[in-house]
Amino acid sequence: MKHRNVTGIVVAIIYCIIIYIFLTDSPLGEAPNNPRWVYLLLPLGAIAITSLFDYVIKFDFFRMKK
């Protein structure tokens, strides 16, 4: 397995937590009323963030070379 960019993984996890909070937010006693395609933002966004950090940015904050 190649060395994954830890910064991209951490940012993707933070993104997933924040988007989950927004998707499940609704008034008290009511179910969230979102279209079905909105729930695809969770995995597609995480994949986009990790691939962006792996192939484009290539800067890893947690594995900096001294």
Side-chain angles (χ1 to χ4, degrees):
M1 183 176 159
K2 74 174 205 166
H3 295 287
R4 299 295 307 261
N5 194 326
V6 180
T7 305
I9 294 171
V10 170
V11 171
I13 290 172
I14 292 170
Y15 167 80
C16 288
I17 292 169
I18 291 172
I19 200 79
Y20 175 77
I21 290 170
F22 283 125
L23 287 177
T24 58
D25 187 34
S26 65
L28 189 62
E30 294 183 20
N33 188 12
N34 297 323
R36 292 189 188 266
W37 63 268
V38 174
Y39 295 104
L40 285 174
L41 293 176
L42 193 75
L44 292 178
I47 291 170
I49 289 171
T50 53
S51 61
L52 182 74
F53 272 91
D54 279 342
Y55 300 112
V56 178
I57 296 174
K58 295 182 182 178
F59 175 74
D60 198 352
F61 183 72
F62 294 102
R63 291 187 189 160
M64 290 193 302
K65 297 178 182 174
K66 294 181 182 179

